Amino acid sequence: MDIVGIGVSVWDSLMLVDALPQPGSVVQAERHLEGIGGGITVAMATAARLGSSAALIDSLGEDAAGTRILQALNIEGVDTQAIVRSAGTTSSVASIWSERQSAERTIVFSPGSACERLQWTPQIEQLIARSRVLHFNGRHGDVCLQAIRVARESGVKISFDGGAYRYRPEILPMLRAADLVIVARQFAESHLQPPSDSERRRPAMELAESLMEDLDCEIVAVTDGAAGSAWVEREGSGFHQPAISPELAIDTTGCGDTYHGAFLHGYVRGHGTRQAAELAARVASENARRLGGLAFATSP
Ligand SMILES: Nc1ncnc2c1ncn2[C@@H]1O[C@H](COP(=O)(O)OP(=O)(O)O)[C@@H](O)[C@H]1O
Ligand SMILES: O=C(O)C(=O)C[C@H](O)[C@H](O)COP(=O)(O)O
């Protein structure tokens, strides 16, 4: 297996609206769409769409959302052998409003109860030991910690996704174990000490350099929405990867997730970091032109 992800899948319901509704108002959506979500899930589906072999480790409820998630993953060609379903539990679902003008999305999610049921098994151990990259964002934390041990023993690269507003102390051991660290600006700001002139908006490159100094890993990137991303390699100089055609974006749901998946696809194919980052920006840009967390066409 090229890439194995550990994460919580979500069944997303998206509404495209002109502008975010005022509290108490009733507005009609321009469009509605349902589909798979969840940062690691979308990254694995992205890598699979691009031609990598990708597997997901997760637990789903025995409910309609769980059935839809599983069907969608199978259609995308993601290996689901390590996904378990638990009777009497619920899957994670999210309600997403996407504002056409700003392309900004607002997410309310309900984590469900199935995610508490994932257990470490010899099957998971084997899957990880035989992969090239392990990708996670800290959900299913106990399983991630075991996975880190196996990845280290087996020479598997560890990739960490730090999403905006998802920073919390319990993810620190996973962040510190990673070789490849790609995080959103807001995550990086939450982790790093504020500068002495704390009102200043720090350039993404400064955040990436500070993260590299702290983590001393192979690659760090800080993604900054329509402003692109800043990349720093342990061996080598930093570079900026611009976002592509941000003026065409209508919905940025899944931009970061498809960005991760496409970068990892390029990375396991042996592309250099710059080439893989450029592919990631192209895929995320295509994704932003359509409604949905996993919306890009197969060949951007
Ligand atoms: N409006 C946009 N238009 C084109 N590309 C975008 C847009 N927003 C984000 N991207 C691409 O997706 C990457 C990740 O986006 P970002 O918003 O930082 O992550 P997240 O979705 O995790 O919050 C960016 O570095 C950029 O390449
Ligand atoms: O709905 C989607 O498609 C999302 O990706 C949003 C996720 O529900 C939240 O961001 C929580 O993500 P986790 O930290 O993995 O639990």
Side-chain angles (χ1 to χ4, degrees):
M1 195 65 63
D2 291 324
I3 311 165
V4 174
I6 303 173
V8 175
S9 304
V10 187
W11 189 250
D12 283 343
S13 169
L14 294 105
M15 300 275 182
L16 184 65
V17 291
D18 251 355
L20 278 189
Q22 295 297 317
S25 63
V26 178
V27 300
Q28 189 173 327
E30 196 180 306
R31 248 187 287 156
H32 170 241
L33 186 112
E34 294 192 7
I36 41 170
I40 305 303
T41 305
V42 169
M44 292 307 100
T46 299
R49 268 195 189 184
L50 293 172
S52 286
S53 55
L56 183 70
I57 297 167
D58 191 9
S59 52
L60 300 171
E62 275 191 346
D63 54 2
T67 301
R68 291 184 188 126
I69 290 167
L70 203 52
Q71 280 170 347
L73 284 170
N74 286 325
I75 289 169
E76 294 298 337
V78 175
D79 187 311
T80 58
Q81 60 174 303
I83 293 184
V84 292
R85 298 185 73 178
S86 315
T89 62
T90 52
S91 304
S92 185
V93 293
S95 190
I96 303 180
W97 288 348
S98 282
E99 192 182 48
R100 180 187 269 283
Q101 290 304 318
S102 63
E104 198 68 62
R105 84 282 187 270
T106 304
I107 303 177
V108 181
F109 77 99
S110 166
S113 55
C115 57
E116 288 150 27
R117 297 292 181 90
L118 191 67
Q119 304 256 326
W120 183 254
T121 61
Q123 186 199 8
I124 294 178
E125 177 151 352
Q126 274 189 13
L127 186 61
I128 292 167
R130 292 182 187 153
S131 66
R132 297 173 62 196
V133 174
L134 169 68
H135 183 55
F136 52 58
N137 65 359
R139 294 299 304 279
H140 299 309
D142 292 344
V143 171
C144 288
L145 292 175
Q146 299 263 28
I148 288 168
R149 173 184 54 79
V150 174
R152 283 183 168 151
E153 285 165 8
S154 314
V156 176
K157 294 283 184 185
I158 301 175
S159 161
F160 181 84
D161 168 356
Y165 302 102
R166 302 304 290 147
Y167 187 79
R168 52 216 189 274
E170 64 265 28
I171 51 84
L172 276 174
M174 295 142 216
L175 174 65
R176 295 208 176 280
D179 302 291
L180 317 172
V181 172
I182 305 180
V183 302
R185 160 185 278 283
Q186 199 275 340
F187 183 98
E189 286 172 342
S190 304
H191 177 68
L192 296 166
Q193 296 292 328
S196 42
D197 49 345
S198 61
E199 294 301 297
R200 181 170 64 94
R201 184 178 159 88
R202 297 172 80 180
M205 185 56 78
E206 189 181 309
L207 293 169
E209 283 166 351
S210 298
L211 277 178
M212 177 57 90
E213 206 173 301
D214 178 36
L215 303 172
D216 188 28
C217 56
E218 185 179 321
I219 295 174
V220 166
V222 172
T223 68
D224 200 6
S229 49
W231 289 78
V232 177
E233 293 176 272
R234 188 198 274 136
E235 322 285 344
S237 52
F239 65 94
H240 175 245
Q241 171 59 54
I244 295 170
S245 307
E247 70 284 358
L248 299 179
I250 62 156
D251 167 31
T252 53
T253 309
C255 266
D257 309 333
T258 53
Y259 195 87
H260 278 90
F263 174 77
L264 292 179
H265 167 75
Y267 182 85
V268 296
R269 298 265 84 73
H271 298 175
T273 306
R274 282 175 194 258
Q275 198 185 338
E278 202 218 319
L279 174 68
R282 273 195 282 131
V283 170
S285 163
E286 277 291 325
N287 208 62
R289 294 176 209 185
R290 297 183 179 85
L291 183 64
L294 179 69
F296 73 95
T298 306
S299 297

